[in-house]
Amino acid sequence: MIAVAPSILAADFTQLGEEVRRAAQGGANRIHVDVMDGHFVPNLSMGPNVVQALRPITALPLEVHLMIDNPERFIEPFVRAGSDTIIVHLEVLDDPRPLLRRIRGHGRRAGVAVKPATPIDRLAPFLPEMDLALCMTVDPGFGGQAFLPESPPRIRRLRQLLDKYNPQCDLEVDGGIDLHTAPVAVEAGANVLVAGTAIFRSPTGPTEAVRAMRRQVSEAAD
Ligand code: DX5
Ligand code: ZN
């Protein structure tokens, strides 16, 4: 099954709880929380307090995408806030395994993300200890960017590696995912779609936008 993970970066922050409920009503499978530190990416977003605020208002898993330097400093705060999955970037770690073990040691799912310029094969040694591999399909930092055309071969290569080393691991894509690019990503091997703008800025509203995306990929998967 293909999962849809709405990214609240594009939500209306004045009614964040309602926005999450609307996405959930459309069949969202998890909620994606983008954390930016102004160093690893040239933007600031949100921290553990947002996860903590959302925790009691939704039963959906909350997945945190840490676009930050020194992610080891923030694992426990995000665990305590109620994160179900914590994703760290490969570019800031020599070896992500100690952090993956720490996240899993807290009973949470552990993921590793790669920027578009990072060779996919660098993930290979770590895949057996990962629950989720995130292939960025834009340069991280901002919502609303276009899906990079070099993404499908990268997704395909990651699928190949996962089939070999860890078929259970999620293959997630993030950036520029909409009704046109979602089937392209799924066809290349993605099974989790992060989408911000296409869900929360959709003229139809988030409920219908999630439904439409799920419909679109169930057709693509047939
Ligand atoms: C980009 C973030 C994404 C972003 C996706 O730095 O990691 O999760 O919110 O936004 P859209 O779907 O608008 O490209
Ligand atoms: Zn993200």
Side-chain angles (χ1 to χ4, degrees):
M1 197 203 65
I2 308 300
V4 174
S7 161
I8 58 168
L9 190 63
D12 176 351
F13 286 2
T14 66
Q15 37 181 324
L16 191 52
E18 252 329 288
E19 291 274 79
V20 166
R21 281 189 204 101
R22 290 177 188 131
Q25 216 178 346
N29 303 92
R30 45 182 98 170
I31 297 296
H32 185 86
V33 181
D34 284 308
V35 177
M36 306 180 183
D37 67 352
H39 293 273
F40 180 68
V41 290
N43 197 6
L44 292 165
S45 60
M46 45 204 141
N49 52 347
V50 173
V51 175
Q52 195 182 358
L54 290 177
R55 187 61 293 168
I57 67 110
T58 182
L60 291 178
L62 298 173
E63 92 177 7
V64 173
H65 176 193
L66 296 183
M67 287 166 275
I68 64 174
D69 287 339
N70 307 116
E72 67 284 351
R73 293 169 54 195
F74 293 98
I75 302 302
E76 280 71 25
F78 278 103
V79 166
R80 283 195 296 272
S83 314
D84 297 280
T85 302
I86 298 178
I87 305 164
V88 295
H89 262 272
L90 186 60
E91 294 83 5
V92 299
L93 298 162
D94 293 328
D95 183 343
R97 281 171 291 201
L99 265 195
L100 297 174
R101 289 172 196 150
R102 205 161 116 196
I103 295 165
R104 285 175 151 193
H106 289 295
R108 312 305 160 99
R109 301 174 76 238
V112 179
V114 283
K115 285 182 172 185
T118 303
I120 286 291
D121 281 63
R122 283 207 198 141
L123 281 171
F126 318 122
L127 295 175
E129 297 194 46
M130 289 163 49
D131 300 298
L132 180 148
L134 170 49
C135 179
M136 288 304 301
T137 44
V138 299
D139 276 310
F142 299 90
Q145 304 181 76
F147 182 83
L148 290 168
E150 60 264 36
S151 302
R154 291 169 53 76
I155 300 165
R156 229 169 263 128
R157 175 64 183 152
L158 184 50
R159 174 50 66 197
Q160 239 174 20
L161 291 172
L162 285 176
D163 283 348
K164 188 161 170 203
Y165 296 113
N166 187 355
Q168 314 295 336
C169 182
D170 278 334
L171 196 172
E172 182 170 87
V173 286
D174 183 4
I177 301 296
D178 59 21
L179 292 180
H180 301 286
T181 55
V184 174
V186 168
E187 192 275 327
N191 73 304
V192 186
L193 304 168
V194 175
T197 304
I199 303 293
F200 290 110
R201 305 281 166 99
S202 161
T204 63
T207 305
E208 191 41 49
V210 173
R211 271 191 203 126
M213 188 166 288
R214 290 178 54 94
R215 256 198 317 267
Q216 189 83 340
V217 292
S218 68
E219 283 158 19
D222 287 341

